[in-house]
Amino acid sequence: MRGQPDRKEDSRGHRASVSEPAGDGGPDEAARYLAAAVADLGLIARRHGLDTLGYLLDMAQMEAEEIVRLRAARDRG
């Protein structure tokens, strides 16, 4: 639509690049955030009877939590 910024631009008009550093705590923080966000989405899906979607979101949550667990174990050892 006219007058709205491109969704690939941030609020300052800079385009996001895959090669730019995340600047958000890295993959560990991202995995923790995604696990929590997907858990919330799963609750919403099941609340509205979207059981298959809820199941898939539960699987995504479990995957994110496993990534967090494995990365933490690697960092400790």
Side-chain angles (χ1 to χ4, degrees):
M1 284 174 60
R2 194 172 218 181
Q4 293 185 356
D6 184 344
R7 290 177 188 229
K8 294 180 182 174
E9 293 180 358
D10 67 16
S11 62
R12 296 167 296 186
H14 295 113
R15 287 199 172 268
S17 171
V18 175
S19 63
E20 290 180 9
D24 63 358
D28 295 334
E29 185 176 337
R32 285 190 299 275
Y33 173 79
L34 289 167
V38 171
D40 290 341
L41 292 172
L43 289 172
I44 294 168
R46 284 187 298 285
R47 183 180 305 138
H48 294 282
L50 304 170
D51 296 329
T52 302
L53 183 56
Y55 172 79
L56 293 170
L57 290 165
D58 287 345
M59 294 298 102
Q61 177 188 357
M62 290 172 53
E63 180 69 15
E65 289 171 345
E66 179 71 0
I67 290 168
V68 170
R69 187 185 68 74
L70 291 173
R71 291 179 68 91
R74 185 194 68 207
D75 291 344
R76 283 190 302 258

